[in-house]
Amino acid sequence: VMGGISSSTIAPDPGGRECLVWAGKCRAEGGGFAGARSVSLQTPLDLSSFDGLALTCGFESDAEPERRTWKATVRTQNDRGEMVYQATFTPPVVDDDKKTPRETRLPWNAFRLVRGPTVVPDVPPLSKEQCGSVYGLGLIMSRFGARGPMPEFREGPFRLAVHAFGVYCETKTFDEIPETKTLLDAASSNLGKRASENRGTRNVVTFLLSPLIKLAFDEKRRRRKRARDLLKKRFGVGAFRARFSFGQKLKTKRRGGDGLGAAAEGARELIGDIVASGLTLPLRLVFILLAKFARLVRAVKGQKQLPKMR
């Protein structure tokens, strides 16, 4: 999961330890978060016999994990929505990679429903009953805390060693807990399916509109746009210079001095952006109208408005 121009990867520890290492670089501007999550499970996990998530992870890149907001996520709907349950925690600092960090426990009632980085109002915490169907688990590192953007957020590289990501139970003995599938077992049912089938359910409308939706929300195009916005804000340049001056220099450098190839790449990107903008304009207008209609319905019913996506 990438937030704007932030990026991260999660993979087995290259040093040979029996853990995963989640590492990357987070930028406050143009996103401000990074994440790692499981696939959307076709066969959900039943975690209702347990009391919460148990994480064993250590922060290794610096001594200031508290200057970021760390969140564990639980998805209880098999859809493509942006609303999930999240609970915050602070990973312990580990300065010796041979030591196993302490376990962090997050009870189910510590998880709140969020939309983007904002808690959805008037929704009770996650319950055991809802954990009977868990379609995904994940981690997020963000500049957005409970009160909004962190003023002392530390951007830049981060590295988290994840030794265990599981569940715990304090109310039952081991023999009383029914046999439960592991995340790996549940994910195995996704094997052999198309990537689109592993992203949650779709209705007829989203199936028909999926080519336009994919074009409208193309991640590479969005990252390039946010990078240009960052250049404009940081250096006070216009859109033309951000794309054809700074952008061209970066492409040329990446291509080892091949200016002609960089120019051709830039031209292809420009044409692609123009075509995408024209084709997806009606779709974006539909989304805007639907959002306004949904807000109107909530207002008529006297319900609080959902927080806007950031």
Side-chain angles (χ1 to χ4, degrees):
V1 183
M2 299 171 289
I5 58 175
S6 302
S7 62
S8 69
T9 58
I10 187 167
D13 178 35
R17 292 178 296 170
E18 292 186 357
C19 68
L20 297 176
V21 172
W22 178 34
K25 184 177 290 186
C26 188
R27 297 295 187 191
E29 299 179 79
F33 73 93
R37 66 189 179 196
S38 69
V39 294
S40 181
L41 301 172
Q42 295 291 315
T43 303
L45 291 168
D46 182 358
L47 304 181
S48 59
S49 298
F50 301 92
D51 296 326
L53 289 187
L55 311 176
T56 304
C57 53
F59 190 59
E60 301 180 341
S61 51
D62 57 68
E64 297 183 312
E66 71 281 357
R67 290 182 59 188
R68 296 94 163 169
T69 298
W70 303 87
K71 308 172 186 178
T73 66
V74 176
R75 183 177 289 273
T76 58
Q77 297 290 329
N78 187 21
D79 58 26
R80 302 184 176 205
E82 292 301 320
M83 291 201 291
V84 298
Y85 284 90
Q86 294 181 353
T88 60
F89 68 99
T90 301
V93 176
V94 177
D95 52 13
D96 183 353
D97 61 11
K98 294 182 181 179
K99 293 182 179 179
T100 301
R102 68 178 185 272
E103 183 181 79
T104 299
R105 291 187 170 185
L106 301 171
W108 297 134
N109 61 12
F111 287 81
R112 300 300 303 274
L113 187 66
V114 301
R115 185 173 188 259
T118 309
V119 174
V120 178
D122 301 327
V123 177
L126 182 64
S127 65
K128 271 191 175 186
E129 292 72 25
Q130 289 173 288
C131 295
S133 297
V134 172
Y135 289 91
L137 299 168
L139 293 168
I140 291 176
M141 190 275 283
S142 172
R143 67 184 286 248
F144 299 99
R147 299 182 180 179
M150 300 177 69
E152 300 297 325
F153 175 71
R154 178 168 175 169
E155 63 178 347
F158 69 91
R159 177 185 171 96
L160 187 74
V162 183
H163 297 266
F165 193 115
V167 288
Y168 73 93
C169 185
E170 295 178 337
T171 55
K172 298 179 182 177
T173 65
F174 181 79
D175 292 333
E176 294 175 322
I177 300 174
E179 186 176 352
T180 305
K181 279 188 176 183
T182 66
L183 179 60
L184 186 61
D185 290 337
S188 66
S189 64
N190 289 44
L191 296 176
K193 298 181 181 294
R194 298 191 302 273
S196 60
E197 293 180 289
N198 291 330
R199 296 183 193 139
T201 57
R202 292 194 297 179
N203 54 38
V204 175
V205 175
T206 55
F207 175 78
L208 294 175
L209 292 178
S210 60
L212 280 179
I213 293 173
K214 197 175 295 184
L215 190 62
F217 299 103
D218 179 72
E219 184 61 31
K220 288 183 178 179
R221 182 170 291 108
R222 292 173 67 189
R223 285 167 67 86
R224 288 198 302 268
K225 183 180 184 303
R226 292 197 177 187
R228 290 195 299 271
D229 291 340
L230 185 58
L231 285 172
K232 289 188 285 185
K233 183 176 180 180
R234 183 168 294 179
F235 298 104
V237 300
F240 184 86
R241 284 192 64 193
R243 180 187 287 269
F244 295 105
S245 180
F246 284 88
Q248 196 65 21
K249 288 177 183 178
L250 289 173
K251 288 183 177 65
T252 302
K253 183 177 180 181
R254 176 165 50 81
R255 287 175 164 269
D258 181 11
L260 189 60
E265 181 183 344
R268 287 195 301 271
E269 290 176 356
L270 176 61
I271 294 171
D273 289 346
I274 293 172
V275 171
S277 180
L279 289 178
T280 60
L281 179 59
L283 182 63
R284 283 180 279 139
L285 291 175
V286 168
F287 279 132
I288 291 171
L289 291 174
L290 288 175
K292 289 184 179 296
F293 179 73
R295 292 181 69 83
L296 178 62
V297 170
R298 294 185 72 86
V300 170
K301 291 182 177 180
Q303 300 173 337
K304 286 188 177 180
Q305 298 295 339
L306 292 175
K308 293 182 178 180
M309 292 292 292
R310 301 185 183 184

